[in-house]
Amino acid sequence: NINNLISDEAMEPIKRAEVALTQFGRMSDSEIVTPKNAAKDMIAMLPNMDNIEEVKFLDIASKQGEFAYAIYSRFATVNEAIKNNIYSLPTSPLCYEFTRKIYELLGMPVENIIADFTTYDLIKEKREEKIKSIKDMRFNVIVGNPPYQNSNGGGLNKSSGTAIYDDFVFVAKSLSPRFINMIMPSRWFGVQSGKLATFRNAMLEDKHISIMHDYNNAEDCFGKSVELKGGVCYFLRDAE
């Protein structure tokens, strides 16, 4: 029983967090949970950083706290004080609760989970104040797996939904971190018109993209629980 394992105090907190992250593959048609191994592979792209205890991380689209877990797994062995600098912005109130569970299991400050608004508010009208509140926190690293499209019941593989993952990449850039480490569908690779073409051109012209990994078959990254035509990619952007 997963709940019993999560509550088993004989297990190390990091192991209990791993168990907690096995519960769901997706939260909605647009919100895909990043498998813990994929999240760890992404965080492994980040270089070793001096004074890691001063580096501030934000998961811009937390579902279950998978990136908070991956950051903790990578850097807490170097300096456990990093747990005080890992922040998350959940995609929904439900995702707040899942994220909170991971924070509690790992002994991280629950107040580092932003509760006043959600990821979606960053691309809605009157978003400027919310974006400014995050920018004022001066994050060094922005990570995440943003919502992929406006949900209209069509599902991830229908063409009727409007892509929004590109909007979150632009928001991440506007926050002026040194590193952006995000995962998203690969459909933008071949788009020649519309908003994704604008995004494609911006990515191709961005000289700060240092690493890009592409999976033609999304199952290779997400497993068989998620079907995503066109594949998936993740990248590391280093502003310096």
Side-chain angles (χ1 to χ4, degrees):
N1 184 289
I2 287 178
N3 288 330
N4 288 341
L5 287 172
I6 293 173
S7 303
D8 184 359
E9 296 186 1
M11 293 177 65
E12 295 181 4
I14 193 72
K15 295 297 183 183
R16 293 164 64 193
E18 287 180 8
V19 172
L21 290 171
T22 64
Q23 295 187 73
F24 300 102
R26 70 197 316 162
M27 307 306 296
S28 71
D29 279 346
S30 185
E31 297 166 276
I32 305 301
V33 176
T34 311
K36 61 178 181 290
N37 289 337
K40 291 174 77 171
D41 287 346
M42 289 174 62
I43 298 304
M45 293 162 60
L46 292 165
N48 294 324
M49 290 175 271
D50 295 331
N51 302 317
I52 188 63
E53 70 280 0
E54 298 176 5
V55 177
K56 294 178 71 174
F57 295 81
L58 172 67
D59 177 358
I60 201 171
S62 181
K63 286 88 172 179
Q64 293 187 39
E66 58 268 38
F67 284 101
Y69 155 83
I71 295 165
Y72 180 92
S73 297
R74 163 85 189 273
F75 294 109
T77 54
V78 178
N79 190 327
E80 193 172 1
I82 190 62
K83 68 182 182 181
N84 297 315
N85 285 348
I86 302 173
Y87 293 73
S88 294
L89 175 61
T91 57
S92 70
L94 176 62
C95 291
Y96 172 90
E97 295 301 327
F98 286 121
T99 301
R100 179 176 60 84
K101 186 66 175 179
I102 295 299
Y103 272 66
E104 290 174 344
L105 287 171
L106 296 177
M108 299 192 297
V110 172
E111 57 268 27
N112 284 4
I113 308 172
I114 298 170
D116 297 335
F117 52 91
T118 72
T119 303
Y120 288 98
D121 291 315
L122 299 180
I123 61 170
K124 291 181 178 179
E125 292 185 12
K126 301 180 180 180
R127 60 187 176 271
E128 290 80 7
E129 183 178 344
K130 297 176 179 64
I131 292 175
K132 183 179 184 301
S133 69
I134 295 178
K135 187 168 185 176
D136 288 346
M137 298 175 74
R138 299 182 181 278
F139 288 104
N140 307 98
V141 184
I142 305 291
V143 304
N145 183 2
Y148 294 162
Q149 65 185 39
N150 285 323
S151 179
N152 59 5
L156 276 174
N157 291 311
K158 304 297 183 182
S159 60
S160 54
T162 302
I164 57 175
Y165 55 86
D166 53 314
D167 298 326
F168 292 106
V169 175
F170 285 130
V171 168
K173 289 183 180 182
S174 76
L175 298 174
S176 303
R178 176 177 174 184
F179 295 107
I180 298 175
N181 188 199
M182 298 177 74
I183 183 169
M184 58 190 171
S186 298
R187 290 179 182 174
W188 60 272
F189 284 8
V191 174
Q192 300 296 327
S193 62
K195 70 191 292 282
L196 282 183
T198 300
F199 175 68
R200 176 179 180 271
N201 291 336
M203 291 292 283
L204 290 174
E205 294 171 3
D206 191 339
K207 305 303 182 184
H208 299 292
I209 303 293
S210 56
I211 305 174
M212 175 77 74
H213 289 294
D214 177 42
Y215 293 85
N216 290 326
N217 186 345
E219 287 186 5
D220 294 338
C221 184
F222 287 126
K224 294 186 177 181
S225 63
V226 174
E227 182 184 359
L228 187 60
K229 291 181 179 178
V232 66
C233 65
Y234 54 79
F235 70 92
L236 178 68
R237 182 181 192 271
D238 183 350
E240 296 183 7

